[in-house]
Amino acid sequence: VAALLSGDTLTEISTGHKQGQQLLPQHYLHQHKSKRKNKQDEFQFVTPSRVEGQYDGNTYQFDVPKGSVDPALMELLVMDDLASNKGLKYEVVSKGKLHPYQLQKVGQETLEVPAGKFDCEKVEIMHDDPDQHTTLWLAPALNYGIVQVRHQENSDVIESRLTRYQNR
């Protein structure tokens, strides 16, 4: 959110395919361009358990557990897994490393945001760092789309709210 307000350009692209009910990642690109820097993370799943890519000018390749995903695909999986009441644990490739993510349902809340009033499932991302805290509010009426995100790191807080929603 801060990057967008500063005039930076963010690009995120995730491609893959569906095999049965399983989403399989193939290629991922995250690019952050600003006046001062250009950071890019781009990788591909050469097999379901092998990743090759480049982050910040450094090439990497490593084995990952089957079922590992990219950050964009994790967002889709969270939506699907909440809808089907599955566990919320993921292995996510990002910035040349494998990161474990575990999310926990912490309750339900009704939120009023610029896009309207929504009953939401409140979910927290479990961080190893006690100075980080991330909460997501996802609306079942929007197929568990994100209505609000709040991330706190040390004393810095970034919050994003849904301002508009159009049903297609």
Side-chain angles (χ1 to χ4, degrees):
V1 172
L4 294 174
L5 294 175
S6 68
D8 292 7
T9 301
L10 293 173
T11 302
E12 185 175 38
I13 300 170
S14 174
T15 60
H17 63 277
K18 191 171 184 179
Q19 189 174 50
Q21 293 300 313
Q22 188 175 11
L23 297 173
L24 302 172
Q26 289 178 311
H27 181 260
Y28 178 78
L29 170 67
H30 181 273
Q31 188 173 46
H32 180 179
K33 288 184 180 180
S34 72
K35 296 172 188 148
R36 297 174 308 187
K37 64 182 177 183
N38 180 12
K39 291 244 181 198
Q40 182 170 305
D41 185 17
E42 184 171 18
F43 59 87
Q44 60 187 358
F45 286 81
V46 292
T47 70
S49 58
R50 182 91 176 147
V51 171
E52 293 179 359
Q54 189 174 41
Y55 173 66
D56 205 17
N58 298 311
T59 301
Y60 61 85
Q61 53 185 302
F62 55 91
D63 293 327
V64 296
K66 284 187 179 180
S68 296
V69 296
D70 63 55
L73 184 54
M74 184 188 88
E75 291 179 28
L76 292 175
L77 291 174
V78 168
M79 294 165 70
D80 284 350
D81 292 347
L82 278 171
S84 59
N85 208 25
K86 291 183 181 175
L88 303 172
K89 192 172 183 177
Y90 311 95
E91 296 290 335
V92 180
V93 178
S94 176
K95 299 179 181 175
K97 296 180 182 174
L98 184 66
H99 303 273
Y101 276 83
Q102 183 163 350
L103 290 78
Q104 180 178 349
K105 290 189 220 179
V106 292
Q108 296 170 342
E109 283 185 27
T110 300
L111 289 185
E112 188 145 355
V113 296
K117 189 173 183 179
F118 298 93
D119 293 327
C120 297
E121 189 75 49
K122 185 176 177 182
V123 175
E124 290 184 356
I125 297 175
M126 312 310 291
H127 293 285
D128 291 335
D129 184 345
D131 293 328
Q132 287 188 15
H133 187 81
T134 307
T135 306
L136 309 169
W137 287 265
L138 302 109
L142 304 178
N143 296 315
Y144 291 92
I146 296 174
V147 170
Q148 181 170 293
V149 177
R150 184 174 199 273
H151 178 74
Q152 181 173 349
E153 196 164 328
N154 300 315
S155 61
D156 296 329
V157 176
I158 297 173
E159 192 167 82
S160 178
R161 293 186 176 124
L162 184 65
T163 58
R164 186 173 47 166
Y165 177 78
Q166 182 176 350
N167 198 3
R168 293 182 184 204

